[in-house]
Amino acid sequence: MANKTLTRMDLSEAVFREVGLSRNESADLVESVLKHMSDALVNGEQVKISSFGTFSVRDKAARIGRNPKTGEEVPINPRRVLTFRPSHLMKDRVAAGNKS
Amino acid sequence: MIRSELIQKIADENPHLYQRDVERIVNTIFEEIIDAMSRGDRVELRGFGAFSVKKRDARTGRNPRTGESVEVEEKHVPFFKTGKLLRDRLNGH
């Protein structure tokens, strides 16, 4: 398993095969899908893609961290993090496909 | 934002495309990501994030209601790690 890494190129190739657009335009469309999703998240919106999953932004409070090597205390500023919750369909397909 | 709103935004920007094709394009992208992970592949989208598959070892679980122990088989679960650029943008950098 974990044999291959796909990139934007593979996604645009899939779009190119699926719809009769040029490779260039397919690549631009993949890029704009990612851009719209990112922009919504940066605005604090949740991005909910049915039968894929939900991306949400969570606020993390400030805390005191510790450098594990030196034991030194370092303040960690409050920050926003992104979490992804896969849909049931995605979980089921990933589990089924990787069954040994 | 939900799937249909994402499709609408792409359709608005591309008036030369049929709505039906925009739907196919957006669906193909998500479908391709799930397909890749089902094969155990990784999908790395620089600046956005990476989808990968993690293995969860078999374990002895417990039914929280009855306290009964149950064998849970080894399984594979989807995982997403946010890309650096998006992480920075979320924090206003």
Side-chain angles (χ1 to χ4, degrees), chain A residues 24-93:
Chain A
N24 257 333
E25 195 170 8
S26 303
D28 289 347
L29 284 158
V30 169
E31 205 51 56
S32 59
V33 164
L34 296 176
K35 182 187 169 291
H36 283 297
M37 291 173 70
S38 306
D39 288 353
L41 292 163
V42 170
N43 286 333
E45 266 181 76
Q46 200 180 51
V47 175
K48 209 168 178 165
I49 308 296
S50 55
S51 63
F52 185 81
T54 304
F55 297 88
S56 20
V57 180
R58 288 177 44 200
D59 279 300
K60 291 272 203 178
R63 63 186 172 89
I64 304 292
R66 205 179 271 279
N67 180 327
K69 207 168 289 181
T70 63
E72 195 186 349
E73 287 190 346
V74 250
I76 297 177
N77 293 330
R79 65 213 157 95
R80 289 206 295 171
V81 295
L82 179 57
T83 57
F84 174 68
R85 194 164 174 265
S87 70
H88 268 290
L89 182 123
M90 180 190 279
K91 282 202 236 175
D92 290 349
R93 285 183 54 192

Side-chain angles (χ1 to χ4, degrees), chain B residues 18-82:
Chain B
Y18 289 115
Q19 174 94 15
R20 168 172 50 96
D21 285 338
V22 176
E23 272 169 38
R24 278 170 64 201
I25 291 160
V26 171
N27 295 345
T28 299
I29 294 173
F30 294 121
E31 189 60 29
E32 200 64 18
I33 296 174
I34 299 183
D35 275 353
M37 282 193 287
S38 307
R39 296 189 302 262
D41 289 346
R42 221 175 108 78
V43 182
E44 195 174 310
L45 304 167
R46 283 281 162 93
F48 182 79
F51 295 91
S52 58
V53 179
K54 287 203 169 178
K55 183 180 146 198
R56 298 273 177 260
D57 284 329
R59 64 188 169 87
T60 307
R62 219 171 257 283
N63 180 327
R65 200 169 312 188
T66 63
E68 199 183 347
S69 37
V70 265
E71 293 310 315
V72 181
E73 276 180 46
E74 166 193 302
K75 65 173 173 187
H76 290 84
V77 296
F79 180 75
F80 176 75
K81 186 171 187 284
T82 314

